[in-house]
Amino acid sequence: MARDDDNKRNFALRDATGQESSVFSGRTPRQAALKAARRLDPGKTEQQAQHHELRLREKGTKKVHIYDGWAWKESAPDDKPGWMPGEITEANVSKKGIEHLEEI
């Protein structure tokens, strides 16, 4: 469901035990998941990248958005700015579903 406002929302990255280690912001859960995926250990190519489950709890709610995420290294574009390194980390995610927590 799309929101009418342009406010960013905060999503806490949860591990298997339910501990929340990092917070990522974005207008949509996917945007936050892409930010989290870029921090994964990148593979050499997209096909060789290892998939990881990302569980993001939307702050202020009991919803946990579940994604498969992967990252890989790629050459920077030719017209890159001077401060950008020659190799960048790209990422992608695929939504698996939403889980509702009993308690926060």
Side-chain angles (χ1 to χ4, degrees):
M1 178 166 125
R3 289 188 178 243
D4 293 334
D5 57 10
D6 284 337
N7 295 335
K8 289 195 176 192
R9 299 183 280 170
N10 292 318
F11 299 89
L13 182 64
R14 296 171 61 92
D15 63 15
T17 64
Q19 296 287 80
E20 297 179 353
S21 58
S22 301
V23 176
F24 298 93
S25 63
R27 288 190 177 99
T28 64
R30 184 176 189 277
Q31 191 176 39
L34 283 167
K35 290 178 182 182
R38 291 185 91 179
R39 299 220 179 148
L40 296 171
D41 188 27
K44 292 183 180 187
T45 66
E46 185 174 7
Q47 292 76 23
Q48 294 175 337
Q50 184 178 3
H51 291 229
H52 298 274
E53 183 176 88
L54 302 171
R55 302 173 69 81
L56 296 163
R57 182 182 66 82
E58 186 172 352
K59 293 283 205 158
T61 71
K62 295 181 180 182
K63 288 183 189 176
V64 177
H65 301 269
I66 305 167
Y67 288 87
D68 267 339
W70 60 98
W72 67 95
K73 290 287 189 184
E74 204 165 273
S75 297
D78 292 336
D79 60 347
K80 70 180 179 70
W83 54 263
M84 185 181 279
E87 198 172 62
I88 57 174
T89 302
E90 292 283 343
N92 203 355
V93 294
S94 175
K95 188 146 191 179
K96 293 170 67 176
I98 297 176
E99 181 180 284
H100 295 275
L101 298 175
E102 297 294 321
E103 56 185 65
I104 295 181

